[in-house]
């Protein structure tokens, strides 16, 4: 399995002319997975050798602006560059609880209609992931409010046995999120490659004893 990492931004708090806010891309077999999407990520993508249209998954570590304020704009740009296609697989977005409401409201208020589907999978944090006075429970934000246009997606809870959240699993790898301690609930992501059997020339081994 071939993996390639491109750093689009490593800056903190805000982008600068020479360095973008937090964002990196993992390229895997023609697909691009984006980790964080700070302000200016679109510009950094244009300067890179990557194609934004190849982004199929987006992972947001936490809901501080320098890690996700670029996301609504990026989705709108991807929409402008795409054609309506009912068969296109959704872009999967993973992040802390509250991200679905933020995206839906941002796109709704700006009258932005995406030409491709997207899903938001929210990770439910535990209260020990940040200082008690900073913890906010977003689970009831949209309760009782109809979101007919809101994106679908899963609500993911911590697996106490694995002490992590299972996000993606296929024949080649497993992607899990684990809890980090920060001023707001934050998550790290682990990509674990599954064992792959090697190719052996049995006859040559026998010939060599």
């Amino acid at each position: 399995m071939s993996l390639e990492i491109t750093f689009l931004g490593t800056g903190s708090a805000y982008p600068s002319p020479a360095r973008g806010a937090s964002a990196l891309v993992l390229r895997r077999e023609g697909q691009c997975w984006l980790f964080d999407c700070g302000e200016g990520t679109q510009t950094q993508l244009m300067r890179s050798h990557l194609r934004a249209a190849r982004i199929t998954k987006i992972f947001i570590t936490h809901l501080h602006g320098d890690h996700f304020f670029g996301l609504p704009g990026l989705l709108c740009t991807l929409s402008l560059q795409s054609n309506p296609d009912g068969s296109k697989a959704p872009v999967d977005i993973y992040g802390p609880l509250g991200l679905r409401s933020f995206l839906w409201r941002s796109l709704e208020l700006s009258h932005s209609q995406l030409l491709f589907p997207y899903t938001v999978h929210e990770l439910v944090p535990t209260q020990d992931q940040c200082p008690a006075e900073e913890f906010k429970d977003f689970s009831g934000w949209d309760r009782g409010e109809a979101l007919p246009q809101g994106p679908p997606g899963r609500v993911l809870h911590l697996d106490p046995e694995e002490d992590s959240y299972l996000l993606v699993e296929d024949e080649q790898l497993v992607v899990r999120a684990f809890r980090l301690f920060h001023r707001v609930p934050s998550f790290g992501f682990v990509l674990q490659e599954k064992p792959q059997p090697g190719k052996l020339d049995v006859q040559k081994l026998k010939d060599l004893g």
Side-chain angles (χ1 to χ4, degrees):
M1 180 172 60
S2 174
L3 299 175
E4 177 186 291
I5 292 177
T6 302
F7 290 92
L8 297 177
T10 58
S12 177
Y14 55 86
S16 73
R19 186 169 65 174
S22 182
L24 70 84
V25 170
L26 174 75
R27 190 163 64 168
R28 176 201 176 204
E29 299 180 346
Q31 297 183 28
C32 289
W33 293 4
L34 176 65
F35 290 82
D36 277 343
C37 188
E39 186 181 353
T41 296
Q42 293 185 67
T43 305
Q44 295 297 91
L45 273 168
M46 294 173 190
R47 292 174 176 167
S48 75
H49 64 284
L50 303 169
R51 291 181 56 192
R54 294 285 180 89
I55 294 175
T56 59
K57 297 186 188 303
I58 300 172
F59 301 84
I60 302 298
T61 57
H62 63 290
L63 301 184
H64 272 156
D66 56 337
H67 290 257
F68 82 118
F69 275 170
L71 188 51
L74 174 64
L75 294 177
C76 290
T77 296
L78 292 177
S79 181
L80 290 172
Q81 295 175 349
S82 64
N83 297 315
D85 183 359
S87 63
K88 179 177 172 60
V91 173
D92 286 305
I93 304 172
Y94 300 84
L97 194 66
L99 183 57
R100 176 183 290 113
S101 182
F102 167 81
L103 277 177
W104 181 79
R105 292 175 190 277
S106 297
L107 297 173
E108 185 75 6
L109 287 170
S110 60
H111 296 258
S112 303
Q113 296 183 342
L114 303 185
L115 297 179
F116 61 89
Y118 73 101
T119 58
V120 180
H121 309 289
E122 294 185 301
L123 284 65
V124 178
T126 58
Q127 292 197 13
D128 56 352
Q129 284 183 246
C130 69
E133 64 273 13
E134 296 284 351
F135 185 85
K136 294 182 180 180
D137 182 5
F138 296 124
S139 59
W141 262 27
D142 300 316
R143 190 170 296 155
E145 182 179 348
L147 296 179
Q149 304 294 323
R154 296 175 291 155
V155 175
L156 304 170
H157 294 270
L158 180 73
D159 180 344
E161 293 186 5
E162 297 287 342
D163 195 28
S164 63
Y165 303 73
L166 177 62
L167 307 185
V168 180
E169 182 171 12
D170 59 27
E171 295 179 353
Q172 293 183 316
L173 57 73
V174 177
V175 182
R176 291 183 179 274
F178 59 93
R179 297 173 296 167
L180 297 174
F181 188 84
H182 191 36
R183 282 183 32 244
V184 297
S186 183
F187 299 91
F189 302 102
V190 172
L191 285 75
Q192 183 176 11
E193 188 174 2
K194 291 184 176 180
Q196 298 292 328
K199 296 179 180 180
L200 294 176
D201 186 334
V202 178
Q203 185 57 49
K204 189 169 186 177
L205 287 174
K206 289 179 179 179
D207 293 343
L208 294 173

